[in-house]
């Protein structure tokens, strides 16, 4: 062989193998079992489909066609192949991170000279170690192991991986030292056997690829390599024209762009709040059509045509959601969530979305409001939503960002605080603050007639003094149970003092008040039979007023009647005590 040709051919093969092609696959679609099964099959047959990821793509298609050509089969597309994949019985297996695996991870020296002295080049992370060991893409590994964070792997962690023959770096053996060739001392070539050698094998006599070389001062050079076997030398390849173009600036610019895109993607994906990217362009067209018909009062239009709100909700296209969204709504995957949006947005969401449309009609492209959504398990989620149409898409509304913050815990706390502000904790009845507010409201709005029953428990102080406040509190809780059972809305019962209770009866005359008193006494009798020990005795009095009667006079009348009943009760007890035998 011509001694000058050998280095050139080596350069052709090496640079061909070092092609670093941009991945044409989508960033993060979900893997497809049928595609993954085909990839595992081709990988096992040594027709590498690129990185296993369960997605249709350029490398999988080419590997399939190379396999079909090698076995005399008709070439087909991925969707129409007829290969027997029954040998691939399992798609996934598990791998446990070992302590010795950590020895393959470390910092890569920046200088080529230092790299060449290492027995092997370390991996950046355990994730990179796993992707090479199991021939797969990193985002694919992250997807199938959700919600595990693969950036924080440690010894003992169990990871789901594709069921392929793993690459065992620990079983590689060191070969004897090759003789030094002076011409090669200044040449550094990065090797990567992707597909160009396959093309040369198939008779393609030219190729174009990118490679990484290094200048004598150690600077990295990204080069565009173009090679072609010259006419007349097709059989021997003894004359090959190779051109190198320095594309370092372009590659660096692309790398910075990819890094920026990845940074933005990570900010979206790992945001601690739920993020949605949506397309409202159809909603915009529908609203423009309404405006073109001469409609000016959009709120009235929605009341007359409620189906328009439903139509707009159906026309929203969800483009992407992040991981926090899946966690918030209890979804295992984006596909599961997007297929069940009708279970998420329902009920109260209709009115909230109608208000959102009205704001959009008025030109408010940035909005915030509190809404109610539902998890896939049916749980109610109170949400603080911030909605913004991106300024670059303000004309057609093609890109909308929504951030959702779960405020369910806050709402429950607020509801409980509101409950405490208007309820007596011990009896679960309304408290004095609510009673006062309700009196003011009834004095302004009625309805009339208004009746009131004043109730006082007899003998509670004696029970507290002789048996302790625990026994007294138990009697108060029992009184609360009786009044809760006896009083129905719109009437309400309240505890306004230690042993003092009142029942407000809007729209009820004196006969209704007397009937309720009888019901309370009847339920008290049953309660005393159910709880042996201390019997609850009460004094009650009622009063009724028509429209125009002052509230104060009704309150005073009920109190006066109650105290008269209490006085009569104590007179009867005193008389019974005097006539009873000593």
């Amino acid at each position: 062989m011509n001694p000058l040709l050998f280095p050139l051919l080596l350069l052709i093969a090496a640079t061909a193998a070092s092609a670093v092609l941009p991945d044409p696959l989508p960033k993060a679609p979900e893997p497809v079992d049928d595609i993954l099964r085909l990839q595992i099959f081709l990988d096992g047959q040594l027709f590498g489909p690129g990185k296993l990821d369960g997605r249709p793509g350029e490398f999988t298609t080419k590997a399939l066609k190379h396999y079909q050509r090698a076995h005399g089969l008709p070439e087909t597309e991925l969707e129409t192949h007829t290969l027997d994949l029954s040998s691939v019985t399992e798609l996934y297996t598990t791998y446990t991170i070992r302590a010795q695996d950590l020895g393959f991870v470390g910092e890569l020296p920046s200088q080529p000279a230092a790299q060449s002295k290492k027995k092997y080049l370390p991996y950046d992370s355990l994730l990179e170690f796993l992707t090479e060991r199991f021939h797969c893409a990193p985002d694919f590994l992250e997807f199938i192991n959700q919600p595990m964070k693969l950036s924080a792997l440690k010894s003992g962690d169990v990871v789901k991986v594709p069921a392929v023959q793993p690459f065992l770096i620990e079983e590689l053996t060191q070969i004897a030292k090759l003789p030094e060739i002076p011409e090669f001392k200044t040449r550094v070539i990065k090797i990567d056997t992707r597909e160009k050698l396959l093309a040369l094998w198939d008779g393609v006599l030219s190729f174009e690829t990118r490679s990484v070389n290094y200048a004598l001062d150690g600077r990295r050079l990204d080069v565009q390599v173009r090679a072609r076997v010259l006419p007349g030398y097709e059989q021997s390849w003894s004359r090959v024209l190779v051109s190198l173009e320095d594309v370092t600036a372009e590659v660096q610019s692309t790398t910075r762009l990819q890094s920026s895109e990845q940074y933005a993607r990570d900010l979206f994906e790992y945001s601690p709040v739920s993020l949605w990217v949506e397309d409202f362009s159809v909603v915009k067209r529908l609203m423009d059509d309404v405006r073109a018909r001469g409609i000016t009062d959009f709120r009235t239009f929605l009341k007359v045509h409620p189906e328009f709100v439903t139509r707009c909700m159906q026309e929203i296209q969800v483009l992407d959601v992040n991981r926090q969204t899946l966690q918030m709504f209890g979804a295992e995957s984006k596909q599961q969530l997007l297929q069940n949006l009708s279970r998420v947005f329902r009920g109260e969401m209709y009115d909230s979305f109608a208000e959102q449309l009205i704001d959009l009609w008025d030109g408010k492209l940035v909005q915030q409001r509190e809404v109610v959504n539902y998890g896939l398990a049916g749980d109610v989620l109170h949400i603080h939503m911030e909605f913004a149409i991106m300024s670059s898409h303000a004309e057609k509304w093609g890109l909308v960002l929504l951030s959702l913050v779960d405020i369910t815990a806050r709402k429950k706390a607020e509801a409980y605080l509101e409950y405490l502000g208007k309820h007596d904790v011990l009896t679960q009845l309304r408290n004095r603050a609510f009673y006062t507010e309700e009196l003011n409201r009834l004095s302004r709005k009625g309805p009339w007639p208004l009746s009131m029953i004043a109730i006082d428990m007899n003998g509670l102080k004696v029970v507290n003094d002789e048996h302790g406040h625990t026994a007294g509190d138990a009697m108060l809780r029992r009184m609360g149970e009786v009044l809760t059972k006896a009083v129905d809305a719109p009437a309400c019962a309240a505890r306004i003092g230690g042993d003092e209770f009142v029942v407000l009866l809007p729209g009820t005359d004196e006969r209704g008040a007397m009937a309720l008193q009888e019901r309370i006494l009847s339920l008290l009798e049953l309660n005393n039979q159910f709880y042996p020990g201390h019997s609850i005795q009460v004094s009650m009095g009622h009063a009724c007023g028509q429209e125009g009667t002052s509230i104060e006079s009704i309150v005073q009348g009920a109190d006066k009647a109650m105290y008269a009943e209490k006085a009569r009760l104590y007179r009867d007890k005193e008389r019974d005590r005097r006539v009873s035998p000593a």
Side-chain angles (χ1 to χ4, degrees), residues 479-550:
M479 190 67 200
E481 293 175 2
V482 169
L483 292 179
T484 299
K485 184 70 175 177
V487 179
D488 297 323
C492 68
R495 181 189 178 197
I496 59 173
D499 58 359
E500 299 176 30
F501 299 83
V502 67
V503 180
L504 296 176
L505 299 162
T508 304
D509 57 16
E510 185 173 5
R511 185 171 57 180
M514 294 177 63
L516 181 57
Q517 279 191 220
E518 293 298 325
R519 176 173 170 78
I520 293 172
L521 291 173
S522 177
L523 290 174
L524 268 177
E525 184 178 354
L526 290 175
N527 188 276
N528 287 331
Q529 293 175 8
F530 185 79
Y531 290 98
H534 302 295
S535 177
I536 297 177
Q537 302 296 327
V538 299
S539 296
M540 288 191 290
H542 70 272
C544 180
Q546 301 294 329
E547 186 172 4
T549 306
S550 69

Side-chain angles (χ1 to χ4, degrees), residues 411-425:
K411 283 293 185 181
K412 288 181 178 179
E414 290 175 353
Y416 183 62
L417 290 175
E418 182 180 1
Y419 177 87
L420 292 179
K422 296 183 178 181
H423 288 77
D424 174 59
V425 177

Side-chain angles (χ1 to χ4, degrees), residues 31-137:
V32 179
D33 286 354
D34 289 344
I35 298 297
L36 181 60
R37 190 178 302 277
L38 174 61
Q39 290 176 339
I40 292 175
F41 173 82
L42 293 171
D43 186 83
Q45 298 295 319
L46 303 182
F47 285 80
K51 295 178 181 178
L52 304 186
D53 55 9
R55 309 169 194 151
E58 176 186 359
F59 297 130
T60 303
T61 300
K62 289 183 177 179
L64 170 63
K65 293 187 177 182
H66 283 304
Y67 177 87
Q68 292 170 328
R69 197 179 307 143
H71 290 78
L73 301 173
E75 295 183 25
T76 67
E77 299 301 323
L78 294 179
E79 298 81 3
T80 56
H81 79 82
T82 57
L83 299 186
D84 181 8
L85 306 182
S86 59
S87 59
V88 183
T89 56
E90 298 291 338
L91 294 181
Y92 300 103
T93 185
T94 58
Y95 180 77
T96 303
I97 302 296
R98 308 167 301 170
Q100 66 194 78
D101 295 337
L102 302 177
F104 296 110
V105 178
E107 185 175 353
L108 179 68
S110 59
Q111 295 300 319
Q115 295 177 10
S116 66
K117 294 177 181 179
K118 283 190 163 292
K119 184 177 180 180
Y120 60 83
L121 298 182
Y123 296 101
D124 289 339
S125 63
L126 282 172
L127 174 59
E128 186 184 27
F129 167 81
L130 289 173
T131 58
E132 182 165 88
R133 175 156 290 210
F134 295 98
H135 321 168
C136 56

Side-chain angles (χ1 to χ4, degrees), residues 289-440:
D289 290 343
V290 173
R291 202 183 296 270
R293 286 154 49 188
I295 301 298
T296 56
D297 188 346
F298 189 60
R299 184 180 295 275
T300 301
F301 172 80
L302 293 184
K303 291 180 180 179
V304 176
H305 299 281
E307 72 280 358
F308 184 82
V309 177
T310 304
R311 170 75 187 282
C312 288
M313 291 181 72
Q314 294 171 345
E315 294 295 347
I316 297 173
Q317 183 180 358
V318 179
L319 303 178
D320 202 0
V321 297
N322 67 347
R323 298 187 180 192
Q324 180 62 24
T325 301
L326 303 183
Q327 181 178 341
M328 179 186 294
F329 290 93
E332 295 181 358
S333 66
K334 294 180 183 179
Q335 182 180 9
Q336 183 190 25
L337 177 65
L338 298 182
Q339 289 178 347
N340 292 276
L341 290 179
S342 59
R343 294 166 56 188
V344 172
F345 306 120
R346 55 187 171 92
E348 302 92 327
M349 192 61 194
Y350 176 92
D351 293 334
S352 298
F353 186 67
E355 291 298 322
Q356 186 176 340
L357 290 178
I358 292 171
D359 282 349
L360 287 172
W361 178 273
D362 294 335
K364 298 178 181 178
L365 303 187
V366 178
Q367 307 173 17
Q368 58 179 336
R369 54 177 33 88
E370 292 184 1
V371 299
V372 175
N373 293 170
Y374 293 85
L376 294 187
D379 47 315
V380 177
L381 298 175
H382 292 273
I383 302 292
H384 176 80
M385 179 189 75
E386 296 200 10
F387 170 99
I389 296 176
M390 298 294 96
S391 57
S392 57
H393 293 74
E395 183 178 349
K396 295 184 179 180
W397 302 359
L399 189 62
V400 178
L401 178 65
L402 281 81
S403 68
L404 309 181
V405 178
D406 187 353
I407 58 172
T408 304
R410 193 193 83 189
K411 283 293 185 181
K412 288 181 178 179
E414 290 175 353
Y416 183 62
L417 290 175
E418 182 180 1
Y419 177 87
L420 292 179
K422 296 183 178 181
H423 288 77
D424 174 59
V425 177
L426 184 62
T427 63
Q428 306 301 308
L429 300 175
R430 300 287 189 172
N431 61 12
R432 188 176 189 88
F434 176 85
Y435 162 73
T436 302
E437 290 181 5
E438 187 67 2
L439 282 182
N440 292 332

